[in-house]
Amino acid sequence: MIENIIQKDKEFLIYLNNLGSENWDGFWLAITNQFHWTPLFVFLLYLIFRYLGLKKGLFTVLFLALLVTFSDQITNVIRGVFERLRPNNDPAIRDSLRTLIRPQSFSFASGHATTSTVVTVFLIMLLRKHTKYIKFLIMFPLIFAYSRLYLGVHFPIDILGGFINGVTIGYLSFKLHKFLINKIFN
C-alpha cells in the first residue's frame, strides 16, 4: 500500500513538473527564492505594527523570528527521521524531471511549505480582526510550495506534509502568542 502511494506521488510529480517550460523557468526560480518575497514581508511588518502598536509589534516580530527558526528546525528533524531523497536525487525518476536547481538535503517534509504556512496561518489568525483581506495571504504558501514541484525538488507528499506541519505549528503558535500577549501586556 505505501509503495503504491509513493509510486503515485512520483508519477504525479513527473506530470506536474513536465507541465513546465523554459518560458516560465525564470519566473518559478524567482518565486522559490525567499528574497523576492521581501516586499510582501515588509508589508506584513507594516500591518503588524499598524494594528498592534510598537511594543506588541516588536514582541510579535521577535516571536515570528523564533517561530520561523523553530519550524525550520522541526523540518530538519523530520527530514532526518524519514531521509527521503529529493526527486532531483532519486535515481528512479531524476531523468524524467525538468530540474533547474539541485539541493542535496532530504525531501520530506518541505521546509518552504512548512515555514510559509506557519507564518501565513499565524498572521491570518493574528490580523483577521483588523483586516478582512489578510485571508488572501493564503496564496503565499500555495504559490511558494508549487515552485518546489515545478523545479523538481519536492514530491507532492512533501508539500502536503509541510502544509500539515505549518497549519499545526501556526495554529498552536498563535494560541501561545495570544497567551503571552495577555500575560505580558495586560
Side-chain angles (χ1 to χ4, degrees):
M1 168 117 171
I2 296 261
E3 293 85 20
N4 189 32
I5 291 171
I6 296 211
Q7 184 58 36
K8 294 292 182 199
D9 190 36
K10 290 179 179 185
E11 290 170 6
F12 190 42
L13 170 65
I14 292 167
Y15 171 77
L16 291 173
N17 175 264
N18 281 281
L19 291 175
S21 73
E22 288 182 24
N23 295 334
W24 288 95
D25 290 352
F27 173 77
W28 289 106
L29 283 167
I31 291 294
T32 207
N33 185 332
Q34 297 95 323
F35 177 76
H36 293 118
W37 291 90
T38 300
L40 174 64
F41 302 150
V42 169
F43 179 67
L44 292 170
L45 285 172
Y46 163 76
L47 291 177
I48 289 168
F49 285 105
R50 176 177 178 199
Y51 293 120
L52 300 182
L54 182 62
K55 288 181 184 177
K56 288 180 184 177
L58 285 172
F59 177 81
T60 300
V61 169
L62 176 62
F63 188 89
L64 269 169
L66 292 172
L67 184 54
V68 167
T69 302
F70 175 77
S71 71
D72 187 53
Q73 293 309 306
I74 286 292
T75 298
N76 289 335
V77 168
I78 292 169
R79 286 179 179 172
V81 169
F82 287 95
E83 294 186 345
R84 186 179 193 192
L85 290 177
R86 286 185 182 264
N88 60 290
N89 297 321
D90 185 336
I93 67 166
R94 68 177 166 219
D95 294 334
S96 301
L97 297 173
R98 301 177 67 258
T99 307
L100 302 169
I101 58 176
R102 301 193 185 284
Q104 298 302 309
S105 61
F106 291 117
S107 187
F108 183 84
S110 167
H112 281 72
T114 298
T115 303
S116 62
T117 303
V118 164
V119 170
T120 296
V121 167
F122 177 82
L123 288 177
I124 286 174
M125 294 185 76
L126 181 71
L127 298 173
R128 66 185 172 190
K129 288 190 269 182
H130 303 287
T131 175
K132 64 182 179 178
Y133 298 109
I134 196 66
K135 63 188 171 198
F136 293 110
L137 187 59
I138 196 67
M139 297 305 295
F140 166 54
L142 296 174
I143 293 168
F144 200 39
Y146 180 76
S147 73
R148 309 307 283 170
L149 299 170
Y150 184 95
L151 297 172
V153 297
H154 276 296
F155 293 100
I157 288 176
D158 303 341
I159 301 297
L160 180 61
F163 286 154
I164 291 168
N165 289 341
V167 168
T168 304
I169 296 167
Y171 175 78
L172 294 174
S173 297
F174 170 74
K175 292 297 188 181
L176 176 60
H177 178 268
K178 186 175 176 181
F179 172 79
L180 292 173
I181 286 282
N182 287 333
K183 281 288 189 191
I184 295 169
F185 296 100
N186 289 332

